Amino acid sequence: MLQIDNLTKNVTLVDKGKVADSYLKRLKGLIGVRELPPGDGLLINPCKDIHTHFMSMPIDVLYVDANNRIVDIDAEMKSWRFGRRRWKARFVVELPSGTAARTQCQVGDQLKISIS
């Protein structure tokens, strides 16, 4: 189980997420997922860029560096798009669309990643 807290904003972004840290899990990502409820999310590691091909919903994407700081955000990324490569990113967090705006995530925010 994955939990991600934005320490800068004192808000929980993910409380029942998953981790994609193998080739097959990263390849599949959220393909085939029809709904991503609030509190769900996917951490893809390692990852510097993503695509939303074959996805049925828009998502928010946080690009995060090795120090768990947000280095960029793709908010409300629609299906069939490519995200440009973020060289400073070590991993990405895919969230339900609107989460970044609702929680006021910004570049530079410090995240706490907990995996149990």
Side-chain angles (χ1 to χ4, degrees), residues 35-46:
E35 180 184 14
L36 198 60
D40 276 5
L42 181 68
L43 186 150
I44 303 174
N45 184 32

Side-chain angles (χ1 to χ4, degrees), residues 1 8 10-11 14-15 18-19 23 39-40 42 48-49 51 53-54 60 65 70 72 80 93 96 102-103 111-112 116:
M1 190 65 66
T8 306
N10 195 30
V11 65
V14 176
D15 60 7
K18 296 181 179 171
V19 177
Y23 174 76
D40 276 5
L42 181 68
K48 294 181 180 297
D49 55 25
H51 70 82
H53 292 91
F54 305 104
D60 287 353
D65 70 11
I70 298 173
D72 208 351
W80 297 98
V93 178
R102 179 178 50 78
T103 59
L111 303 182
K112 178 183 176 189
S116 59

Side-chain angles (χ1 to χ4, degrees), residues 11-56:
V11 65
T12 298
L13 302 176
V14 176
D15 60 7
K16 51 188 175 286
K18 296 181 179 171
V19 177
D21 56 1
S22 71
Y23 174 76
L24 290 177
K25 288 179 182 178
R26 290 191 319 264
L27 182 64
K28 182 180 184 303
L30 293 174
I31 293 172
V33 174
R34 296 199 181 275
E35 180 184 14
L36 198 60
D40 276 5
L42 181 68
L43 186 150
I44 303 174
N45 184 32
C47 188
K48 294 181 180 297
D49 55 25
I50 62 137
H51 70 82
T52 57
H53 292 91
F54 305 104
M55 290 178 58
S56 60

Side-chain angles (χ1 to χ4, degrees), residues 57-114:
M57 66 199 159
I59 59 172
D60 287 353
V61 183
L62 306 180
Y63 298 84
V64 185
D65 70 11
N67 296 313
N68 294 343
R69 287 203 180 270
I70 298 173
V71 296
D72 208 351
I73 300 171
D74 273 334
E76 300 181 9
M77 191 171 181
K78 295 182 168 92
S79 298
W80 297 98
R81 302 290 194 272
F82 285 102
R84 66 179 173 76
R85 182 163 289 237
R86 273 56 170 211
W87 291 102
K88 292 180 181 179
R90 179 179 205 178
F91 60 91
V92 301
V93 178
E94 297 182 342
L95 302 166
S97 184
T99 301
R102 179 178 50 78
T103 59
Q104 301 178 346
C105 286
Q106 294 179 315
V107 170
D109 284 1
Q110 180 71 52
L111 303 182
K112 178 183 176 189
I113 313 295
S114 304

